[in-house]
């Protein structure tokens, strides 16, 4: 029995060991027995030491319907990756047959191969970048009869002549006109000659040219100029930030900031693999050590009793990983993924995930290594598994100029027109789901919309007597447009039809400009470049307002959100920089400083690993790495675009899907249902709000007319006066509701009771009282007679056989139904109200009071 008991014991031990080494749910067991996440399998990267996670048995070579096989027959790639500029196949076959691409028949082929629409030819604008679209234009440059011809040959619509706004480059369309010239700048601002750029008066004659042509720093205007105490004045009188002097870079055009620095050069370090450190920054070759000749000043290279001794032979020299013997002494080294601790002997793991940009998106630190992961919808780039790219769609840029809106392809040299003949198109956003674009025009003072494929079918969403919207953002989940009003100093919203609007923020705003939204988490962000430049955020219902960036910021022209990494990016036109931070303003860092490429940035957007921005000085769109600012490239040719305003990346992943908690019965709100900020897991998802002119009742759901201000009955487009906008705003709320419910004691007819009644009124009341008694007596007599007739009728018909059913529906009054609906908790998930969906609180067309 002994041998049998031994065999059974070994079998049991193997069984236990086998169960003990099984992996958790959602994990894959490598051939070596180690466990890795299952989604790491078949990702073209060996995560198992034996490569079993990428074996052919586990990962078949067949491609899916959305993929195609590379010519080497070893790899599948998505079809959208063909001819996108990146070599996704190992053999580069996906980019081999892309050079023969020709322009369409309705496009013009530039000398450099770029494709532009024929309407851009001979329009006084270098759209090709090489000027080929503006050659031989003298005979072709003829405007139609319905247009006005500028002296430069440019054509503008006759409606723009003598409208107070200069459209021709020479201003001839506004000469001999008895009309007041329009100005987009506020009274306390300096207006540049382009009539679009507005500056803080403190920036005039400060040594730094902020206007496109530098007129704010002209000698006639400024005379003998001196820089601020925190600036350095170059020899050419230009001022730069003081901290840029003696930094090794020539920030002054004449290099005067690097003269007479008097800074001792830093002590250089020696290359430990090939040099010996004598001390004091002096290095000698290792071959000169222990050669019986003193090469160091004090003979450090010939120490007595230490040459030709291998310290690594004894206990590995005390090193944790590797011991490297040297001519004099030794040094410890660590394996890849580790670094030396303070004792220079112990090795500790390097957390690569702490380095910004080491992975495009997700990063998992491992002992001695790290693993990069991509969010849903993204895949890792083959040639660099730390980078992620979208698995579908072709990204492009939407760009507003002054007189048109354009679409620029990012994977091919193509530029198309979306909307033409705009007056001063500025802010821009889109709804990818419906293909609708929204933009503001600061000259016509409107917010407009049009299908991206049919730009001619434009419609006015919102018009006001004095709206100047430099910033606009679309809530693609709850279907609202948020915008900043520079002249009213407000942040407002409206629905897509423009029939229901509200002022969200109005207090303590100076000059609000750019705005960005995250409707999934319910936050909105905006920049303010007034007397106290800053970036703020608040819930999309106007609650929980706070300042997140308040220092080292002067001219925050544009902001954008990285919805994947939850980071905020902004451009500063005064500091010539691009910076980023977390949503709450923490972990702030400067991405890029460039006096050349960020001379006058206005707008910024981001997608994948890049940031894109417009620059008025270069009149172009640029891109760079969003983590370190490297690899700066022009997306368009410089000085090609006149007044490039707001830029947006047009791709479905810029607007990820989210749950609309207002979709069912409008969240039980009578009017506006807005997303509330996601502060924690228990935060309410939605908040009810009232349009301008209405107030919220104590139940937090219903809106009634606010008799403290004139009645407002909005139409599409909404026409609001300045007085109504200033009166109907609310104080900044502190809770999840966008405004505090208000109760008011009124009379029967909604008026406040009066105590001043005269004698004639009392006499009239006495006469009416006598008449009322007569009427009541008559009605009482009629009621008695009717009751008698009813009793006789019941006795006469009692013999008839009948069965009576009571229908509870007829016993349910409107008031009972209203009470049931009203007592429902206001901030529940709207999608859970299946029964309520069949009987909503109000039907379309019903006017709530």
């Amino acid at each position: 029995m002994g041998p049998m008991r031994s065999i059974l014991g070994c079998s049991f031990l193997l069984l236990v060991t086998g169960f003990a080494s099984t992996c958790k749910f959602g994990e894959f067991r490598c051939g070596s027995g180690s466990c890795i996440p299952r989604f790491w399998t078949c990702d073209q990267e060996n995560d198992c030491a034996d490569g079993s996670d990428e074996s052919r048995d586990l990962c078949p070579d067949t491609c899916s319907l959305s993929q195609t096989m590379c010519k080497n027959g070893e790899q599948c790639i998505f079809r959208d990756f063909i001819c996108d500029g990146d070599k996704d196949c190992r053999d580069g076959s996906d980019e081999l047959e892309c050079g023969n691409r020709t322009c369409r028949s309705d496009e013009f082929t530039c000398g450099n191969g770029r494709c532009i629409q024929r309407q851009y030819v001979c329009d006084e604008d270098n759209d090709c970048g090489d000027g080929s679209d503006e050659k031989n234009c003298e005979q072709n440059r003829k405007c139609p009869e319905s247009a006005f011809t500028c002296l430069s040959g440019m054509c503008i619509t006759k409606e723009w002549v003598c409208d107070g706004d200069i459209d021709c480059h020479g201003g001839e369309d506004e000469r001999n006109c008895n009309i007041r010239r329009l100005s987009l700048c506020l009274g306390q601002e300096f207006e540049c000659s382009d009539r679009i750029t507005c500056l803080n008066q403190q920036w005039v004659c400060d040594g730094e040219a902020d206007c496109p042509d530098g007129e704010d720093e002209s000698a006639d205007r400024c005379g003998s100029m001196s820089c601020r105490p925190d600036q350095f004045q170059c020899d050419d009188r230009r001022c730069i930030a003081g901290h840029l002097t003696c930094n090794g870079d020539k920030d002054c055009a004449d290099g005067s900031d690097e003269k007479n620095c008097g800074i001792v050069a830093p002590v250089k370090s020696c290359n430990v693999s090939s040099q010996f450190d004598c001390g004091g920054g002096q290095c000698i070759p290792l071959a000169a050590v222990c050669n019986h000749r003193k090469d160091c000043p004090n003979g450090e290279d010939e120490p007595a009793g230490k040459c030709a001794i291998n310290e690594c032979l004894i206990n590995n020299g005390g090193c944790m990983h590797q011991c490297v013997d040297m001519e004099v002494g030794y040094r410890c080294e660590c394996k890849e993924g580790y670094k030396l601790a303070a004792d220079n002997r112990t090795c500790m793991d390097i957390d690569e995930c702490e380095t910004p940009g080491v992975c495009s998106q997700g990063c998992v630190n491992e002992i001695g290594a790290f693993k990069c992961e991509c969010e849903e919808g993204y895949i890792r780039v083959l040639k660099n598994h730390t980078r992620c790219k979208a698995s579908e769609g072709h990204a492009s840029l939407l760009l507003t100029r002054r007189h048109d809106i354009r679409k620029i392809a990012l994977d091919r040299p193509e530029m198309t027109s979306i909307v033409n003949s705009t007056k001063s198109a500025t802010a821009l956003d889109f709804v990818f789901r419906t293909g609708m674009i929204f933009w503001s025009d600061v000259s016509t003072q409107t917010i407009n919309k049009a299908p991206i494929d049919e730009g001619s079918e434009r419609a006015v969403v919102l018009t006001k007597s004095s709206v100047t919207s430099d910033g606009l953002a679309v809530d693609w989940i709850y279907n609202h447009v948020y915008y900043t009003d520079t002249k009213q100093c407000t942040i407002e919203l409206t629905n897509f039809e423009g029939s229901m609007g509200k002022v969200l923020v109005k207090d303590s705003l100076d000059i609000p400009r750019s705005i960005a939204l995250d409707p999934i988490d319910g936050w909105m962000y905006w920049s303010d470049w007034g007397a106290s430049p800053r970036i703020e955020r608040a819930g999309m219902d106007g609650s929980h307002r706070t300042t997140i960036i308040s220092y080292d910021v002067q001219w925050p022209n544009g902001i954008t959100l990285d919805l994947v990494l939850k980071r905020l990016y902004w451009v500063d036109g005064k500091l010539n920089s691009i910076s980023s931070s977390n949503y709450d303003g923490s972990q702030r860092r400067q991405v890029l400083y460039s006096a050349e490429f960020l001379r006058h940035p206005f707008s910024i957007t981001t997608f994948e690993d890049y940031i894109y921005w417009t620059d008025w000085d270069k009149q172009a769109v640029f891109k760079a790495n969003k983590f370190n600012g490297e690899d700066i490239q022009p997306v368009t040719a410089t000085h090609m675009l006149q007044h490039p305003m707001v830029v947006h990346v047009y791709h479905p992943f810029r607007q990820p899907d989210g749950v609309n908690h207002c979709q069912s019965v409008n969240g039980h709100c009578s009017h506006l249902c807005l997303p509330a900020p996601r502060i924690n897991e228990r935060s309410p998802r939605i908040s009810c709000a009232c349009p301008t002119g209405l107030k919220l009742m104590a139940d937090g759901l219903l809106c009634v007319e606010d008799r403290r201000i004139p009645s407002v009955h909005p139409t599409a487009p909404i026409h609001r006066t300045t007085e109504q906008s200033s009166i109907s705003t609310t104080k900044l709320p502190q809770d999840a509701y966008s405004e505090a419910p208000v109760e008011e004691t009124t009379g029967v007819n909604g008026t406040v009771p009066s105590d001043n009644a005269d004698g004639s009124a009392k006499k009239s009341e006495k006469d009416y009282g006598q008449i009322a008694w007569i009427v009541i007596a008559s009605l009482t007599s009629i009621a008695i007679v009717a009751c008698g007739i009813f009793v006789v009728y019941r006795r006469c018909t009692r013999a008839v056989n009948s069965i009576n059913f009571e229908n509870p529906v007829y016993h349910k009054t409107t008031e009972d139904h209203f009470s049931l609906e009203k007592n429902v908790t206001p901030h529940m998930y709207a999608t859970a109200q299946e029964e309520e969906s069949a009987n909503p609180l109000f039907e379309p067309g019903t006017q709530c009071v």
Side-chain angles (χ1 to χ4, degrees):
M1 294 297 292
M4 181 63 69
R5 187 181 296 112
S6 177
I7 293 174
L8 291 175
C10 291
S11 301
F12 178 75
L13 180 61
L14 289 174
L15 184 62
V16 173
T17 305
F19 278 107
S21 61
T22 56
C23 299
K24 299 178 182 178
F25 178 77
E27 291 184 335
F28 172 80
R29 183 181 179 184
C30 303
S32 59
S34 60
C35 300
I36 64 171
R38 182 166 294 278
F39 61 85
W40 286 5
T41 60
C42 301
D43 63 353
Q44 301 176 5
E45 184 175 3
N46 291 332
D47 299 293
C48 295
D50 56 1
S52 56
D53 58 314
E54 301 297 324
S55 65
R56 289 187 177 272
D57 295 337
L58 183 65
C59 308
D61 293 335
T62 57
C63 301
S64 63
L65 295 177
S66 60
Q67 295 177 324
T68 183
M69 178 69 71
C70 299
K71 287 189 175 181
N72 57 13
E74 299 178 354
Q75 183 188 2
C76 298
I77 65 169
F78 286 93
R79 296 183 183 275
D80 290 339
F81 293 174
I82 299 176
C83 296
D84 66 346
D86 294 329
K87 293 182 179 180
D88 298 286
C89 293
R90 292 186 180 92
D91 56 3
S93 57
D94 58 313
E95 301 295 326
L96 289 179
E97 301 176 357
C98 302
N100 298 327
R101 178 182 294 166
T102 59
C103 300
R104 299 193 306 265
S105 58
D106 60 339
E107 293 180 327
F108 174 81
T109 304
C110 304
N112 55 12
R114 184 185 298 271
C115 302
I116 64 172
Q117 291 185 321
R118 291 192 177 275
Q119 65 186 34
Y120 297 159
V121 179
C122 298
D123 65 347
E124 288 291 317
D125 196 358
N126 182 15
D127 299 286
C128 287
D130 58 0
S132 57
D133 58 316
E134 298 301 320
K135 293 181 180 179
N136 304 321
C137 293
E138 288 74 15
Q139 56 183 358
N140 297 328
R141 188 169 289 143
K142 184 178 180 180
C143 299
E145 296 182 358
S146 60
F148 175 83
T149 305
C150 302
L151 294 180
S152 63
M154 184 176 69
C155 304
I156 64 172
T157 177
K158 287 186 177 180
E159 296 177 356
W160 294 357
V161 179
C162 292
D163 64 349
D165 193 6
I166 296 177
D167 299 292
C168 295
H169 298 315
E172 54 269 20
D173 59 313
E174 299 300 323
R175 294 175 184 171
N176 304 321
C177 300
N178 296 324
I179 187 172
R180 181 181 177 183
R181 188 174 65 88
L182 297 175
S183 176
L184 304 179
C185 300
L186 303 178
Q188 69 272 22
E189 294 176 333
F190 177 83
E191 184 182 60
C192 299
S193 59
D194 64 353
R195 301 190 57 252
I196 291 181
T197 308
C198 305
L199 304 179
N200 191 318
Q201 286 287 356
Q202 298 178 352
W203 298 350
V204 180
C205 297
D206 67 346
E208 185 174 2
D210 298 298
C211 289
D213 58 359
E215 65 194 86
D216 56 313
E217 304 299 325
S218 63
D220 297 339
R221 184 182 306 276
C222 302
S224 58
M225 179 186 59
S226 60
C227 299
R228 299 194 308 264
D230 62 333
Q231 293 179 323
F232 173 82
Q233 188 167 24
C234 306
D235 291 345
D236 59 0
R237 299 195 314 153
R238 180 171 173 258
C239 299
I240 64 172
H243 69 275
L244 298 178
T245 59
C246 298
N247 62 352
D249 297 327
K250 293 182 179 181
D251 297 287
C252 292
D254 53 13
S256 57
D257 58 313
E258 299 299 321
K259 296 179 181 179
N260 304 320
C261 290
I263 299 178
V264 179
V267 178
K268 65 177 181 179
S269 59
C270 302
N271 187 344
V272 295
S273 62
S274 62
Q275 294 177 323
F276 178 80
D277 189 358
C278 295
Q282 184 176 355
C283 306
I284 63 173
L286 287 178
V289 180
C290 292
N291 62 352
H292 306 290
R293 187 174 64 185
K294 294 182 179 180
D295 298 285
C296 291
N298 299 320
E300 292 89 350
D301 57 319
E302 302 294 332
K306 291 188 177 181
C307 291
I309 296 177
N310 189 352
E311 294 86 353
C312 295
L313 296 177
I314 303 175
N315 194 26
N316 197 36
C319 299
M320 183 175 180
H321 284 177
Q322 300 173 357
C323 179
V324 180
D325 183 50
M326 304 171 64
E327 293 294 336
V328 176
Y330 69 99
R331 73 176 187 273
C332 295
E333 291 183 351
C334 297
K335 298 177 182 179
E336 186 179 0
Y338 296 83
K339 63 181 178 180
L340 283 173
D343 60 0
N344 289 326
R345 294 186 178 184
T346 306
C347 294
M348 55 188 301
D349 175 56
I350 298 175
D351 188 356
E352 293 87 354
C353 297
E354 293 181 351
T355 303
V358 66
C359 293
S360 286
Q361 297 176 359
C363 182
V364 179
N365 184 53
E366 298 177 325
I367 302 300
F370 69 98
K371 175 84 172 181
C372 293
E373 298 177 348
C374 299
E375 297 290 329
E376 183 179 0
Y378 295 84
I379 64 170
R380 291 185 297 177
V381 179
L382 174 65
K383 58 186 178 182
N384 187 352
H385 280 186
T386 65
R387 312 331 303 165
C388 299
K389 64 184 298 184
S391 61
E392 63 180 68
H394 295 275
S396 58
L397 296 180
L398 298 182
L399 177 70
T400 55
R401 307 198 317 162
R402 189 179 181 189
H403 295 322
D404 60 25
I405 301 175
R406 299 187 178 187
K407 183 179 179 181
I408 304 172
L410 292 177
D411 58 351
R412 58 191 182 277
E414 183 177 83
M415 180 187 300
T416 57
S417 176
I418 298 177
V419 180
N420 294 313
S421 301
T422 58
K423 198 70 173 72
S424 290
T426 305
L428 169 75
D429 207 349
F430 63 91
V431 180
F432 192 91
R433 183 185 69 255
T434 60
M436 188 71 67
I437 60 172
F438 295 79
W439 75 93
S440 66
D441 193 308
V442 294
S443 290
T444 60
Q445 300 177 353
T446 58
I447 293 178
N448 313 274
K449 67 179 179 180
I452 193 170
D453 297 327
E454 297 291 340
S456 59
E457 298 180 4
R458 69 183 71 179
V460 176
V461 176
L462 186 64
T463 179
K464 292 172 61 175
S465 59
S466 61
V467 65
T468 305
S469 178
D470 288 347
L472 179 150
V474 170
D475 177 357
W476 64 91
I477 296 179
Y478 294 86
N479 302 330
H480 295 120
V481 178
Y482 290 68
Y483 61 95
T484 61
D485 193 324
T486 302
K487 290 194 174 181
Q488 297 296 329
C489 293
T490 57
I491 296 177
E492 306 184 32
L493 69 83
T494 181
N495 58 5
F496 285 175
E497 293 74 31
S499 59
M500 192 177 298
K502 176 178 176 59
V503 177
L504 283 176
V505 180
K506 80 160 189 174
D507 297 325
S508 302
L509 287 177
D510 295 328
I511 309 178
R513 171 152 285 179
S514 182
I515 186 171
L517 304 177
D518 182 0
I520 296 177
D521 288 338
W523 290 102
M524 67 175 175
Y525 302 77
W526 70 89
S527 63
D528 192 317
W529 64 282
S532 300
R534 62 196 181 274
I535 298 177
E536 298 185 74
R537 81 167 179 173
M540 290 175 62
D541 57 357
S543 66
H544 298 86
R545 177 183 176 184
T546 182
T547 300
I548 57 176
I549 301 294
S550 59
Y551 65 91
D552 289 341
V553 58
Q554 294 191 29
W555 199 357
N557 272 333
I559 65 174
T560 190
L561 298 180
D562 186 338
L563 298 176
V564 176
L565 298 182
K566 305 294 184 182
R567 288 190 67 83
L568 166 74
Y569 287 82
W570 70 92
V571 291
D572 195 306
K574 188 67 175 174
L575 300 180
N576 311 122
S577 64
I578 297 177
S579 303
S580 71
S581 72
N582 289 338
Y583 276 3
D584 59 359
S586 62
Q587 297 186 17
R588 173 179 174 177
R589 56 178 177 265
Q590 181 174 285
V591 176
L592 175 64
Y593 167 81
S594 175
E596 178 181 2
F597 298 105
L598 291 168
R599 191 73 188 88
H600 194 154
F602 184 78
S603 175
I604 186 173
T605 185
T606 181
F607 184 65
E608 292 179 346
D609 284 353
Y610 291 95
I611 46 176
Y612 302 82
W613 70 92
T614 58
D615 187 86
W616 284 7
D617 183 69
K618 297 290 186 180
Q619 293 183 349
V621 181
F622 295 92
K623 77 171 185 177
N625 185 284
K626 71 178 181 182
F627 298 106
N628 51 31
E630 297 178 353
D631 193 21
I632 302 176
Q633 300 177 20
V635 178
T636 62
T638 56
H639 300 288
M640 183 191 68
L641 303 171
Q642 297 180 6
H643 301 302
M645 306 297 282
V646 172
V647 62
H648 269 289
V649 172
Y650 187 71
H651 191 274
F653 291 173
R654 282 292 293 161
Q655 294 183 345
D657 295 333
V659 179
N660 184 350
H661 297 288
C662 296
Q663 187 172 9
S664 179
V665 294
N666 196 40
H668 298 281
C669 302
S670 64
H671 289 74
L672 288 172
C673 180
L674 306 178
R678 185 84 173 269
I679 300 175
N680 53 53
E681 293 298 325
R682 302 182 62 183
S683 299
R685 296 292 185 266
I686 57 175
S687 174
C688 296
C690 299
T692 300
L694 303 180
K695 65 180 180 180
L696 195 65
M697 293 184 64
D699 61 2
L701 300 173
L702 300 181
C703 298
V704 296
E705 184 177 356
D706 190 351
R707 298 188 180 278
R708 296 171 297 180
I709 60 176
S711 296
V712 177
H713 299 285
T715 59
I718 301 175
H719 298 275
R720 300 193 186 102
T721 63
T722 304
E723 294 180 357
Q724 289 175 334
S725 296
S726 60
I727 296 176
S728 61
T729 54
T730 60
K731 293 184 179 180
L732 289 177
Q734 301 300 323
D735 55 12
Y737 287 100
S738 60
E739 57 187 85
V742 179
E743 291 186 352
E744 183 176 344
T745 303
T746 60
V748 176
N749 295 324
T751 59
V752 178
S754 175
D755 295 333
N756 299 324
D758 54 15
S760 59
K762 293 181 179 179
K763 182 177 180 181
S764 299
E765 292 178 0
K766 184 176 181 181
D767 295 338
Y768 289 139
Q770 294 177 353
I771 297 174
W773 279 111
I774 297 174
V775 173
I776 291 172
S778 302
L779 293 176
T780 302
S781 302
I782 295 173
I784 293 173
V785 174
C787 290
I789 296 173
F790 178 74
V791 171
V792 173
Y793 172 78
R794 290 282 292 178
R795 289 188 176 183
C796 294
T797 59
R798 182 173 297 179
V800 179
N801 296 326
S802 63
I803 302 177
N804 296 328
F805 295 92
E806 291 193 4
N807 191 338
V809 174
Y810 298 135
H811 293 272
K812 183 178 180 181
T813 65
T814 304
E815 294 180 355
D816 293 336
H817 176 71
F818 176 78
S819 177
L820 290 172
E821 296 286 341
K822 185 173 67 175
N823 292 332
V824 177
T825 304
H827 296 300
M828 61 174 55
Y829 289 100
T831 56
Q833 305 303 317
E834 300 293 339
E835 182 178 353
E836 302 279 356
S837 301
N839 299 291
L841 185 63
F842 61 94
E843 298 294 337
T846 303
Q847 182 178 3
C848 301
V849 295

